[in-house]
Amino acid sequence: MVAAATSAAAPHRLLLSNRSCSLSNLSSFKLCALDSRALVSLKKRHVGTAAGGVRCMAVATDTAGTVKKKTGYNILTLTTWLLQQEKDGVIDAELTIVLSSISMACKQIASLVQRAGISNMTGVQGAVNIQGEDQKKLDVISNEVFSNCLRSSGRTGIIASEEEDVPVAVEESYSGNYIAVFDPLDGSSNIDAAVSTGSIFGIYSPNDECLADIGDDDNLDKAEQRCVVNVCQPGNNLLASGYCMYSSSIIFVLTIGKGVYAFTLDPMYGEFVLTQENIQIPKAGKIYSFNEGNYQLWDDKLKKYMDDLKDPGPTGKPYSARYIGSLVGDFHRTLLYGGIYGYPRDKKSKNGKLRLLYECAPMSFIAEQAGGKGSDGHQRVLDIQPVEIHQRVPLYIGSVEEVEKLEKYLA
């Protein structure tokens, strides 16, 4: 008799038994080992059998008889994915550490956001940031979390935040000297209503031509100001960018210049797990995301564009309006479903409201890596050279056909 090992943990099928063994099907089974005790049985059925017999192991198979290759525990975490990219030479070890530290910051902020109401972290802090905006309590806390994680990584030379007046040189840098720019909590005005918010970040390579000891002094002389401006590079120089959305799921979207990947925080493991690979934004979409409360402040060309979107036309189906008020939330939907997100200039905000360094450039990098487009209405956002730290620009981002359609109206 041929010995067969079985398991009580899960149903199995015997791939080979004393009734099914034949030389014609032995090649189909890889989990078989020679057993001299089965030699006699095999010789009776086949002439010219090689010395030795077959001992067959039982393995889990599906109803079709094929061996299962994947299980529910076959997951790929963000950390493992980054290490694979490093192994393949796409990124170096220093950038791996920087991105890992950012993911840790996002986990901490996600926890703070979820407990904001319980921990009395809703409402206004009482301070005003450099843009003249009231700072929410979580704005200040999230900025500190992001800064501390990047500092402790030891691989960032300069960090620049929407909540800080000027970029800050990192004294704890051991190697790497990457430049990190970020908006620690985008859409914080939604916190009190528990609406989705997010963090946005971008990573640039070091600018060795200008490394000033900026420190924490807000009063920079002209030479240091010029140095800071030189550090602020156009989006074309981004090495990586991404965002983390805090909503019903915590989703970390990342590009390192080789496509766009989404990782979802698994509360069971406390790890970001790969859930979407090589995300591609649809070429066109029927959803627009604009704050139409500012309609009367827009110029006539933009009003004409918006009016045409609402016109049912021959199809009888106008575009659908969706607006959350959080760039991360609105963009994430646009990334998956297609369409266009826009924050234009108007009579009140001559240059728009969104910041080039911390919001527009990182998001446009993601959009282009996903086959979409980011524009200020006339040119690629990634081509714009910053002239100041907190520079604002109009932003239109989403499906290629939708963005190009808008550019024709504004031309």
Side-chain angles (χ1 to χ4, degrees), residues 70-85:
K70 291 185 178 181
T71 70
Y73 301 99
N74 187 8
I75 60 176
L76 182 62
T77 66
L78 173 61
T79 301
T80 304
W81 185 84
L82 288 172
L83 291 174
Q84 287 182 354
Q85 304 308 307

Side-chain angles (χ1 to χ4, degrees), residues 1 57 86 106 119 160 168 208 214 284 327 364 376:
M1 297 291 289
M57 305 295 291
E86 180 187 334
C106 291
S119 304
V168 178
D208 296 330
I214 299 174
L327 172 58
S364 294
D376 70 349

Side-chain angles (χ1 to χ4, degrees), residues 26-40:
L26 285 179
S27 60
S28 301
F29 307 111
K30 296 182 179 180
L31 297 179
C32 296
L34 290 180
D35 186 347
S36 59
R37 289 178 295 177
L39 176 61
V40 176

Side-chain angles (χ1 to χ4, degrees), residues 339-350:
I340 184 170
Y341 170 89
Y343 207 115
R345 61 167 52 94
D346 55 41
K347 295 177 182 178
K348 182 174 60 176
S349 303
K350 301 295 184 183

Side-chain angles (χ1 to χ4, degrees), residues 119-129 133-144 163 188 192:
S119 304
N120 193 30
M121 288 186 291
T122 57
V124 177
Q125 173 77 10
V128 176
N129 66 13
E133 302 165 335
D134 290 331
Q135 288 181 311
K136 295 283 186 177
K137 293 178 183 178
L138 272 180
D139 281 326
V140 178
I141 298 172
S142 299
N143 184 67
E144 185 175 349
E163 304 300 330
S188 58
D192 294 2

Side-chain angles (χ1 to χ4, degrees), residues 144-167:
E144 185 175 349
V145 168
F146 237 97
S147 298
N148 288 343
C149 284
L150 287 169
R151 287 176 184 271
S152 62
S153 75
R155 270 69 183 180
T156 49
I158 293 178
I159 56 177
S161 166
E162 179 189 357
E163 304 300 330
E164 302 284 354
D165 293 354
V166 295

